Amino acid sequence: MHEPPKTDFQPRWYRNATAEVRNALADFSGSGSKPLNWPRIVTRILPSSGSSSLAARTVSEVIDLTQKLAHFAAYDAVRGLNPDFADMRSMGADVLSFSRLTIEPFEEGSFVIPARFESADFIPVEPNAKELEAGNITPEAISAESIASRFGSILDEIATGGATHTISTGALQTVQQLNRALKREVVAIEFATFDRREQQSSYRSIDHEFIERVDRVIQQRRPSNDQLESVEGTVTALDIEQGELRLSIRGQKQRVRGNFHTMLHPTLLESLGKRIRLFGSLSYKRDSMVSIQIQQAEVFDTE
């Protein structure tokens, strides 16, 4: 690279300055100050085996654990070092808020998360193995492209009021859980899908109006149209196999027994140890709530 020529140029104000001013400038090491920036933690994940991609679950777990480690570091900084401390629940809302990480957007005004399916075509196992061996049945391979296609159609059917009866309850409840982000700090969550030919679908926006549509579809699937009662508490035991849970309610010593249908699995799988609002038919004994037949559940945001 060409080096620029050096000169002994001096501006007029310096040439006309007094000896006192020149001596003062000679002793001055610099001017101004460095601009302040947010303190930050930069996480770099290096995939193994030379891969250039990661599973979505791995990325989310790393982000979650980075936040937890930041919480414990904040506890040390605020409360002092304590090697026996392990219960983050007793850390205090002020320390948790103090140490909350924010992930910067990749582009101004949005947070883009590109993800792709890299699986080979899936060949289903036919129930009649003898016919399969005899060559009478040739199972059709299913491309991962069909996943992207179905993903888009689920959102399209909800948005347009199409064949929502074909959408699984688990898929509906998963979309419903995006409402936590919408309630917190997100205006909308947009999805678009691409096929193997790089053909892009139009963006489908999930906002509060979209979530209301999902709520109505789920409401129509309730096994009963009876007026539901509600109760709030913390799930302290959960048995997905038996469809039972135990709910601790503030001000009541005895835990409440809850029974739920398999359609609530997606929501209740994440409820253990969290505050939750349950809707259903309540049973009492001696003015104390003893059980609830759960028909609907809402897990509160952890923040």
Side-chain angles (χ1 to χ4, degrees):
M1 180 180 293
H2 177 69
E3 290 289 337
K6 296 181 180 179
T7 68
D8 294 327
F9 172 78
Q10 295 177 346
R12 181 182 299 177
W13 67 266
Y14 185 83
R15 294 196 305 268
N16 297 334
T18 64
E20 183 179 356
V21 171
R22 292 192 180 193
N23 291 334
L25 291 173
D27 296 332
F28 187 64
S29 59
S31 62
S33 60
K34 292 182 64 176
L36 294 175
N37 203 347
W38 296 109
R40 60 187 58 234
I41 297 173
V42 178
T43 303
R44 183 184 183 192
I45 308 173
L46 302 179
S48 60
S49 305
S51 174
S52 59
S53 61
L54 292 169
R57 180 178 180 182
T58 299
V59 176
S60 63
E61 286 179 345
V62 170
I63 293 174
D64 182 55
L65 293 174
T66 301
Q67 177 64 86
K68 287 184 178 179
L69 185 57
H71 285 325
F72 281 109
Y75 182 88
D76 290 346
V78 175
R79 311 294 189 204
L81 303 181
N82 180 1
D84 295 326
F85 181 77
D87 188 1
M88 197 168 68
R89 295 173 300 176
S90 61
M91 191 173 292
D94 52 347
V95 176
L96 293 174
S97 178
F98 173 59
S99 54
R100 185 169 64 91
L101 286 170
T102 299
I103 298 177
E104 296 179 349
F106 299 153
E107 297 179 2
E108 184 177 356
S110 65
F111 193 102
V112 181
I113 308 174
R116 62 191 181 205
F117 298 105
E118 296 184 337
S119 302
D121 290 355
F122 180 81
I123 301 178
V125 178
E126 296 292 336
N128 193 331
K130 291 183 178 180
E131 291 189 18
L132 182 61
E133 291 176 1
N136 297 330
I137 297 179
T138 303
E140 184 178 352
I142 301 174
S143 166
E145 190 174 15
S146 63
I147 307 174
S149 176
R150 179 54 180 162
F151 187 102
S153 67
I154 287 173
L155 301 181
D156 288 344
E157 288 165 4
I158 295 173
T160 62
T164 55
H165 64 278
T166 66
I167 303 175
S168 69
T169 299
L172 290 169
Q173 291 184 354
T174 300
V175 175
Q176 191 180 47
Q177 289 166 9
L178 291 172
N179 195 37
R180 291 203 296 268
L182 295 174
K183 286 181 176 180
R184 195 185 311 129
E185 55 183 350
V186 175
V187 174
I189 303 169
E190 296 183 335
F191 291 102
T193 59
F194 292 79
D195 61 19
R196 287 179 170 176
R197 300 171 184 82
E198 290 298 314
Q199 295 296 314
Q200 177 186 349
S201 70
S202 59
Y203 273 95
R204 181 61 71 186
S205 180
I206 296 180
D207 52 18
H208 293 292
E209 183 179 351
F210 192 97
I211 295 297
E212 289 177 359
R213 293 194 184 100
V214 176
D215 291 341
R216 288 194 292 269
V217 175
I218 293 177
Q219 186 77 7
Q220 292 169 0
R221 296 191 182 186
R222 279 177 41 198
S224 171
N225 291 322
D226 296 339
Q227 186 67 31
L228 301 182
E229 301 173 277
S230 66
V231 60
E232 296 181 12
T234 302
V235 176
T236 54
L238 180 67
D239 188 336
I240 290 294
E241 295 295 328
Q242 298 297 322
E244 296 181 355
L245 60 77
R246 296 294 182 271
L247 187 73
S248 293
I249 301 176
R250 183 178 300 176
Q252 180 170 312
K253 185 176 181 180
Q254 182 182 2
R255 294 187 300 174
V256 175
R257 183 179 71 256
N259 299 95
F260 54 88
H261 191 268
T262 54
M263 67 174 289
L264 290 175
H265 282 186
T267 299
L268 295 177
L269 272 171
E270 60 169 313
S271 66
L272 186 60
K274 299 181 180 179
R275 285 196 55 78
I276 193 171
R277 180 184 292 119
L278 301 175
F279 300 85
S281 301
L282 304 179
S283 298
Y284 293 84
K285 184 177 181 180
R286 298 172 184 171
D287 296 330
S288 294
M289 190 185 308
V290 293
S291 66
I292 176 173
Q293 294 293 327
I294 307 168
Q295 295 192 30
Q296 194 174 330
E298 177 187 358
V299 181
F300 290 119
D301 197 342
T302 55
E303 291 202 1

